[in-house]
């Protein structure tokens, strides 16, 4: 039987007892939270790294030597 099929138990008639979530749901929530954090960090990573400057183009290929010589 499922735990949802029984009426919630009460402690002295005040508050219902919460038995928590099943392990599978806890793991799923943990994976989702971790994915959300990693997505946020990956979107901030380009802001933390300065843009790299490209090296000036030089004519050092075999075609450049044939044209120069």
């Amino acid at each position: 039987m499922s735990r949802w099929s029984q009426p919630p138990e009460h402690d002295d008639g005040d508050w219902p007892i919460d038995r928590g979530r099943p392990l599978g749901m806890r793991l799923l929530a943990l994976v989702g939270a971790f994915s959300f954090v990693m997505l946020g960090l990956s979107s901030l990573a380009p802001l933390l790294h300065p843009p790299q400057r490209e090296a000036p183009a030089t004519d050092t290929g075999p075609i450049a030597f044939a044209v120069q010589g």
Side-chain angles (χ1 to χ4, degrees):
M1 293 280 268
S2 174
R3 70 180 188 136
W4 302 110
S5 63
Q6 300 173 355
E9 297 177 15
H10 294 284
D11 183 23
D12 294 333
D14 270 343
W15 296 94
I17 297 172
D18 186 14
R19 293 191 175 104
R21 302 290 166 251
L23 181 62
M25 294 300 287
R26 289 182 186 184
L27 291 176
L28 185 63
L30 182 64
V31 168
F34 182 72
S35 300
F36 186 74
V37 169
M38 293 305 292
L39 182 65
L41 289 177
S42 68
S43 66
L44 291 177
L47 298 176
L48 300 176
H49 297 291
Q52 296 179 354
R53 296 183 182 170
E54 294 182 17
T58 57
D59 293 330
T60 58
I63 296 175
F65 288 122
V67 172
Q68 290 177 359

